[in-house]
């Protein structure tokens, strides 16, 4: 690859894309909500939330000095991240905290990038993070899920038009912001039926002696805050066009 080619790729990565049509921002939000609300679609799309959830556990485990043992993603959209270290203390606490807030916080970071029209950068960062996650996947279904997701994002970023890239990026970020909230309600529903005795919230309760319901509420508060802040960032791309005078 020539120096000029590398320079062109770098320029593509860091340059801002044109402002998307205001309607695109609104339409992609509606699409994301429909996917989350329609159970058959949610059943498939939820795998992306699980990838973000387990990726959050893995990243925080590494940042807090724990040794990452591996990540599993299952066909039923559940997942498991194994790390070695003290079973109690701040490192374990923050690792457990990270899962249910990771999709929403990733969506918030994506909204910030989209606010600066860094659409290509957002897509390529997503591919990079998926590649790093793939290294730690320990089952076939998990590897296939990450590879397929990464391939779709890469194909869109490399071959699609600017408008298609924008629609894909906005839909993905809206999906993370909205979709990060639904699993918290699913978590509490399963907990109330006694079907998730070892959930992240219950493990946090075990090591902190703070009731699990508090941690469920904290997950929800963080996710809703990310949605509100990220929503304002994304709506800022739409509202100026609505208020524009002819």
């Amino acid at each position: 690859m020539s120096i000029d080619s590398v320079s062109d790729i770098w320029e593509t990565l860091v340059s801002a894309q044109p402002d998307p049509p205001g309607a695109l921002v609104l339409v992609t939000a509606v699409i994301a909500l429909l996917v989350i609300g329609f159970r058959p679609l949610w059943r498939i799309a939820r795998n992306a939330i699980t990838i973000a959830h387990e990726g959050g556990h893995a990243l925080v485990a590494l940042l807090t000095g724990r040794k990452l043992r591996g990540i599993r993603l299952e066909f039923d959209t559940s997942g498991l991240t194994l790390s070695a270290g003290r079973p109690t203390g701040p490192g374990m606490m923050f690792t457990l905290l990270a899962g249910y807030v990771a999709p929403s916080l990733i969506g918030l970071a994506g909204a910030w990038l989209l606010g600066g029209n860094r659409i290509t950068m957002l897509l390529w960062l997503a591919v990079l993070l998926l590649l790093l996650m793939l290294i730690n996947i320990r089952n076939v279904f998990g590897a296939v899920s990450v590879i397929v997701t990464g391939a779709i994002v890469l194909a869109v970023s490399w071959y699609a038009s600017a408008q298609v890239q924008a629609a894909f990026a906005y839909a993905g970020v809206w999906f993370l912001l909205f979709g990060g909230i639904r699993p918290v309600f699913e978590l509490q529903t399963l907990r109330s039926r006694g079907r998730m005795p070892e959930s992240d919230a219950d493990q946090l309760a075990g090591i902190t002696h703070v009731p699990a319901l508090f941690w469920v509420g904290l997950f929800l508060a963080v996710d809703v805050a990310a949605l509100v802040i990220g929503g304002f960032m994304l709506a800022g791309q739409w509202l100026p066009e609505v208020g524009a005078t002819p």
Side-chain angles (χ1 to χ4, degrees):
M1 182 180 294
S2 68
I3 294 176
D4 287 342
S5 298
V6 173
S7 178
D8 289 343
I9 292 174
W10 178 254
E11 180 65 25
T12 300
L13 177 63
V14 300
S15 62
Q17 281 70 50
D19 289 334
L24 180 145
V25 181
L26 180 60
V27 169
T28 52
V30 173
I31 291 172
L33 279 172
L34 290 174
V35 170
I36 294 162
F38 186 49
R39 188 174 182 82
L41 291 178
W42 171 247
R43 176 65 180 77
I44 298 171
R46 197 186 192 284
N47 285 290
I49 298 295
T50 303
I51 290 172
H53 179 116
E54 300 304 331
H57 281 314
L59 176 61
V60 175
L62 291 172
L63 291 177
T64 56
R66 299 180 63 81
K67 186 172 183 180
L68 186 61
R69 295 295 192 188
I71 303 168
R72 293 181 64 88
L73 304 172
E74 305 295 349
F75 184 74
D76 63 357
T77 73
S78 65
L80 178 65
T81 298
L82 296 174
S83 62
R86 288 183 57 194
T88 59
M92 188 63 186
M93 185 182 75
F94 285 116
T95 298
L96 289 168
L97 266 173
Y100 279 97
V101 301
S104 296
L105 293 180
I106 294 171
L108 180 59
W112 178 73
L113 286 172
L114 290 181
N117 288 343
R118 297 301 195 274
I119 295 170
T120 301
M121 180 181 290
L122 170 63
L123 297 176
W124 287 17
L125 281 174
V127 172
L128 176 61
L129 291 173
L130 288 166
L131 284 173
L132 293 174
M133 188 172 181
L134 180 62
I135 297 171
N136 294 287
I137 295 292
R138 295 295 180 264
N139 67 322
V140 174
F141 179 79
V144 171
S145 295
V146 173
I147 290 170
V148 170
T149 303
I152 292 171
V153 178
L154 181 61
V156 170
S157 68
W158 197 262
Y159 296 109
S161 66
Q163 190 158 345
V164 171
Q165 287 185 27
F168 183 84
Y170 274 89
V173 169
W174 278 121
F175 176 75
L176 289 171
L177 290 171
F178 286 124
I181 294 175
R182 178 166 175 172
V184 180
F185 288 100
E186 294 175 342
L187 164 67
Q188 185 54 30
T189 298
L190 292 173
R191 287 190 64 256
S192 67
R193 298 172 181 171
R195 293 172 57 187
M196 286 191 73
E198 297 298 322
S199 71
D200 294 351
D202 289 284
Q203 291 184 66
L204 281 164
I207 65 176
T208 64
H209 306 294
V210 176
L213 191 59
F214 168 84
W215 298 108
V216 175
L218 182 59
F219 297 156
L220 182 60
V222 172
D223 291 346
V224 170
L227 172 60
V228 171
I229 297 170
F232 273 113
M233 290 179 180
L234 296 177
Q237 302 289 310
W238 172 60
L239 293 175
E241 183 171 307
V242 174
T245 55

